[in-house]
Amino acid sequence: QVQLVESGGGLVQAGGSLRLSCAASGLTFGTYAMGWFRQAPGKEREFVATITWSGGTTYYADSVKGRFTISRDNAKNMVYLQMNSLKPEDTAVYYCAASRIRSYIVHDVGEYDHWGQGTQVTVSS
C-alpha cells in the first residue's frame, strides 16, 4: 500500500518560515517525481513545486518562486518543501504527491498517481 504522509504544517506569522516534510512508503521512491500542491477553501488544488526523480531539476509556480524550495532525499524516502517569506495567501492545505512520469516535468494534478492527506499551513498577517 502506497502511503504519503505530510508533516510540518502549522501557524506562522507573515514573513516567517516553515518546512514541510513528506514521508513515502510502499513505492520505489527513487523512481517517482515528487510534487507539492495546495488547496485553499473554495479553491481548486493548485501546483506549487515539483522535483524530478533524481533531484536534478525543480520547477515552481510563479507565486512561490524565490520563496519556496523543494528537495528530496531518496535514501530516506523523503521530500521537503522549505517555505520562506510566507504570505497570508499561502494559507492552504498542502499535499504531497508522486508521479511515475519521467520524460518531462510534471505540474498538473492529473499527472500524479499518489497523494497524501495534506497538512494545514496558516499564515497570519
Side-chain angles (χ1 to χ4, degrees):
Q1 182 179 359
V2 175
Q3 284 191 302
L4 302 175
V5 181
E6 303 94 336
S7 62
L11 176 64
V12 65
Q13 291 182 312
S17 298
L18 285 173
R19 190 182 75 160
L20 305 184
S21 298
C22 174
S25 62
L27 78 170
T28 305
F29 183 75
T31 66
Y32 285 78
M34 300 297 297
W36 287 96
F37 292 76
R38 65 188 183 186
Q39 188 167 22
K43 301 291 186 67
E44 294 183 344
R45 192 167 298 187
E46 67 173 346
F47 169 77
V48 174
T50 189
I51 186 167
T52 56
W53 67 270
S54 67
T57 303
T58 58
Y59 182 76
Y60 300 90
D62 288 342
S63 59
V64 306
K65 193 174 298 182
R67 300 188 298 121
F68 291 9
T69 303
I70 188 171
S71 61
R72 68 189 296 161
D73 186 339
N74 288 351
K76 297 180 178 179
N77 287 7
M78 297 287 290
V79 62
Y80 307 96
L81 185 69
Q82 179 66 47
M83 305 185 295
N84 299 326
S85 302
L86 283 162
K87 305 174 181 179
E89 52 262 45
D90 294 318
T91 296
V93 176
Y94 282 71
Y95 297 90
C96 176
S99 174
R100 296 188 183 95
I101 297 173
R102 297 170 62 89
S103 58
Y104 59 92
I105 297 171
V106 286
H107 53 82
D108 294 325
V109 170
E111 295 176 316
Y112 283 80
D113 304 292
H114 306 290
W115 295 84
Q117 297 302 306
T119 185
Q120 177 70 48
V121 172
T122 302
V123 184
S124 62
S125 60

